[in-house]
Amino acid sequence: MAEPEAAAEELDALIDHLDYLPGHFHLEMQLNFEPRSPASLHARDLKLQRDGLRQELALAAATQRPAVRHLLGAFAFYLEELDEARESFLQVAREDPGNLNAWANLAHVYGRLGQEEEAEACAGRLAGLMGLAGDRGAAGDTPLRAARCLAEQGYAHGFDVGCASPEEQARVLEAGIELYDKALGHGQQIPKEEKRGWYFTMATLFIRLDGIFLELGSEEQKRLPAFNRTLALLRQVLKSSEPHHQALAWCYLGMLLERKDTFSITPMGVHDCGFSGTDPLDCFGKAIEIAKDKPPILNHLAKIFHFLGKQDMAIGTCNMALDILRDPELNWQAYCTRAKIHVRAYLHDLERSKMGLGGMPDRNHLACAKADLEEVVKVCPGLKTYLDIGQVYYYMGVDAVQELLAVDEAALNQALVFLAKAGESELGAMLPELQLLRGKCLRIKGEETNAVACFKRAVELDDAGSSHTEAFGCLLEALMAQWSQAQLSDGELGSEVDGWLRCAQDKYPAARLRQELQRVWRGHTGEVLGLARALVAQGRPALVRLLFETMAREGEGTGPWRGRRAFSFGGP
């Protein structure tokens, strides 16, 4: 193995002079850093992201599949599934022996496996492909390989795991865009259609980045350059011969043209790219027209319309997909998305009803969602479907006024059955939304002790920085219910609330936590005052101070109400 060893040494000596470094395991992504969350929660997040990536692979253009497989291999590596990681990278190497990231990633995996000879051989192969081992023939396409290497790395930044704040996520997205820019600098030989695929991914990263800037209330001048560049990128993608990219580009263009109203003046990119008179609805219509006979693309569009709040358009797009392919085993996405739209419509009306802003929500939405999900659960049952249909049965089982009374005991029991099936999988047992929903079912059934255990588990499973504070609010309500029923003493209640409040303060953003406490205060004023008195008597004034602070800051940091969890991970 003298030759591979020499090649590896030469690679080490020259690596500092390169403006790029192949492989994924050195990238400055949270994926490659020591996880902040416990190992079990980090593994859960990796598996959820991997499930979404596997769906991405099914839709990806041939030129983009290596980038997806590299990321699947990296997730498998961090899940200690080293054989699967090796196979992912080997598959890329078999299909494209000149892929730099494949050999760099294989060297890393073989190193972890303790197979030093194989690792050195991969390093030697990499050195040759990069022109670092004196083999100029093998290095003839070095700029092309470097460009694809950088683009694959840029793609990975859109799927990072473990970002604790919007600012951190923005930095990762910006790093991914920078890698694509470097790839374009190396990629004069890249085929036009492949380059349009890069433009498409860059546009998605820019759109997500702009969404973060909007969330953070960034100044217009910070948003404008990226906004204008995204329009220019999409203009190029519209020329693509790939229907998936072309349809989504029209959809994203519609999104951006709607966002132009968030600026004080129309961004110049709108005029520079020739979109001055373009109506966003026309863009959405063109996207649907391109996808009209392609269910996978229609399903992707329906999810985007649902995310944008365009529910009628989303329902119509799902119906188009189902008119073409009604088999729930082959087109489960359309059924699941349509069910999600109906549930969202019901929840929207339910919240308005709770606030006295509207009448009773239309329970026909639940009947429609149930019918769609039952079609799916019969032929391809899975974690997501069990969780979604469990949610539907829960709302069928409780009153449509305040979610406090059981109106259909059988529906509540059926919800618990489906949630139990969802919890049978290792991944399902680690989902906070499952524990929250179980707790709510059990609370309605009068099983406060069991409900408290579920709410506690949901809070424990929430990620640090999560804005989903509902489980903590439900936990407070359930503890106070136990106290009012003399199931807890003043001392036990004080100890529980003090401990879980500290946990919540460490886990949730302060503004979201205040919102949740405001909700509990308004709905349970008498119990909260009693709790405050008990805490003061025990020398635990922390919650009392926080409650007074909450009342003083009423209305601060108020986004949408609590934001019920969206069950959005991939798979049926």
Side-chain angles (χ1 to χ4, degrees), residues 11 21-26 70 89 99-110 119 122-123 125-126 130 149 153:
L11 177 62
L21 181 63
H24 283 63
F25 296 101
H26 68 280
H70 282 309
F89 300 136
N99 188 288
L100 302 182
N101 285 321
W103 297 109
N105 289 333
L106 276 169
H108 191 82
V109 173
Y110 282 127
C122 290
R125 184 68 178 268
L126 179 62
M130 295 175 69
C149 169
Q153 293 174 344

Side-chain angles (χ1 to χ4, degrees), residues 204-530:
T204 63
L205 298 181
F206 271 122
I207 289 170
R208 289 172 58 189
L209 186 62
D210 187 62
I212 293 173
F213 287 158
L214 276 172
E215 179 187 347
L216 296 175
S218 301
E219 295 180 356
E220 285 188 11
Q221 293 306 312
K222 184 173 183 179
R223 293 178 55 211
L224 265 173
F227 190 91
N228 288 332
R229 189 167 179 211
T230 311
L231 290 169
L233 290 167
L234 290 175
R235 182 175 61 172
Q236 295 301 318
V237 181
L238 294 177
K239 303 173 186 176
S240 174
S241 60
E242 176 66 42
H244 182 240
H245 286 165
Q246 194 180 35
L248 290 184
W250 278 113
C251 182
Y252 292 156
L253 178 59
M255 288 172 56
L256 288 184
L257 292 178
E258 287 186 333
R259 280 190 192 177
K260 79 177 190 296
D261 295 331
T262 62
F263 294 92
S264 57
I265 60 172
T266 300
M268 199 61 195
V270 174
H271 305 303
D272 290 341
C273 295
F275 299 133
S276 305
T278 305
D279 189 298
L281 283 177
D282 290 339
C283 297
F284 298 136
K286 287 178 180 177
I288 293 170
E289 177 64 23
I290 292 167
K292 64 182 179 182
D293 57 351
K294 301 173 181 65
I297 305 177
L298 287 170
N299 289 331
H300 200 153
L301 290 173
K303 287 184 177 181
I304 296 172
F305 296 148
H306 173 51
F307 171 78
L308 295 174
K310 302 179 185 301
Q311 307 307 344
D312 290 342
M313 195 178 292
I315 284 275
T317 308
C318 286
N319 291 340
M320 288 178 66
L322 289 169
D323 287 342
I324 301 166
L325 184 59
R326 191 158 291 276
D327 186 341
E329 190 169 7
L330 300 175
N331 198 14
W332 56 265
Q333 296 98 326
Y335 285 98
C336 289
T337 300
R338 191 166 67 176
K340 195 179 295 291
I341 295 165
H342 281 297
V343 171
R344 181 168 173 174
Y346 180 81
L347 293 181
H348 175 267
D349 293 345
L350 177 62
E351 298 311 325
R352 287 180 57 81
S353 174
K354 286 181 178 181
M355 294 184 288
L357 300 176
M360 297 281 284
D362 183 1
R363 295 180 78 86
N364 185 56
H365 284 302
L366 297 178
C368 292
K370 172 176 169 287
D372 278 340
L373 292 171
E374 284 182 338
E375 289 291 327
V376 178
V377 83
K378 285 186 291 191
V379 294
C380 49
L383 170 58
K384 181 181 184 299
T385 312
Y386 286 143
L387 191 53
D388 285 347
I389 199 168
Q391 182 188 36
V392 170
Y393 271 109
Y394 164 74
Y395 285 109
M396 292 175 66
V398 299
D399 70 277
V401 181
Q402 292 295 330
E403 273 184 76
L404 295 175
L405 301 172
V407 297
D408 187 340
E409 189 80 17
L412 285 173
N413 288 333
Q414 192 61 53
L416 287 168
V417 169
F418 280 119
L419 294 175
K421 290 180 178 179
E424 289 174 2
S425 70
E426 180 185 356
L427 186 56
M430 298 300 294
L431 293 177
E433 50 265 49
L434 188 149
Q435 298 297 335
L436 171 62
L437 202 48
R438 287 184 70 196
K440 292 170 76 171
C441 288
L442 293 167
R443 181 177 61 179
I444 296 296
K445 288 171 65 68
E447 301 180 24
E448 296 291 349
T449 301
N450 290 333
V452 164
C454 290
F455 295 141
K456 287 179 178 179
R457 185 60 178 150
V459 173
E460 290 171 347
L461 292 173
D462 267 329
D463 290 318
S466 169
S467 61
H468 300 295
T469 55
E470 187 179 3
F472 175 68
C474 289
L475 174 58
L476 281 185
E477 291 171 332
L479 289 171
M480 289 189 294
Q482 285 187 303
W483 175 61
S484 64
Q485 296 164 14
Q487 296 177 22
L488 289 179
S489 67
D490 287 0
E492 289 170 330
L493 177 66
S495 180
E496 288 273 19
V497 172
D498 190 43
W500 286 100
L501 174 63
R502 293 177 189 276
C503 176
Q505 286 176 303
D506 291 338
K507 183 155 290 196
Y508 303 114
R512 286 292 185 182
L513 183 57
R514 284 196 296 270
Q515 275 186 278
E516 194 62 43
L517 288 170
Q518 287 167 8
R519 184 191 65 81
V520 174
W521 166 263
R522 287 192 293 265
H524 306 273
T525 305
E527 292 95 327
V528 172
L529 288 173

Side-chain angles (χ1 to χ4, degrees), residues 15-36:
I15 209 75
D16 290 337
H17 299 288
L18 298 172
D19 66 345
Y20 71 99
L21 181 63
H24 283 63
F25 296 101
H26 68 280
L27 299 176
E28 292 193 9
M29 299 166 53
Q30 287 303 314
L31 177 67
N32 291 326
F33 298 151
E34 191 68 27
R36 299 185 181 99

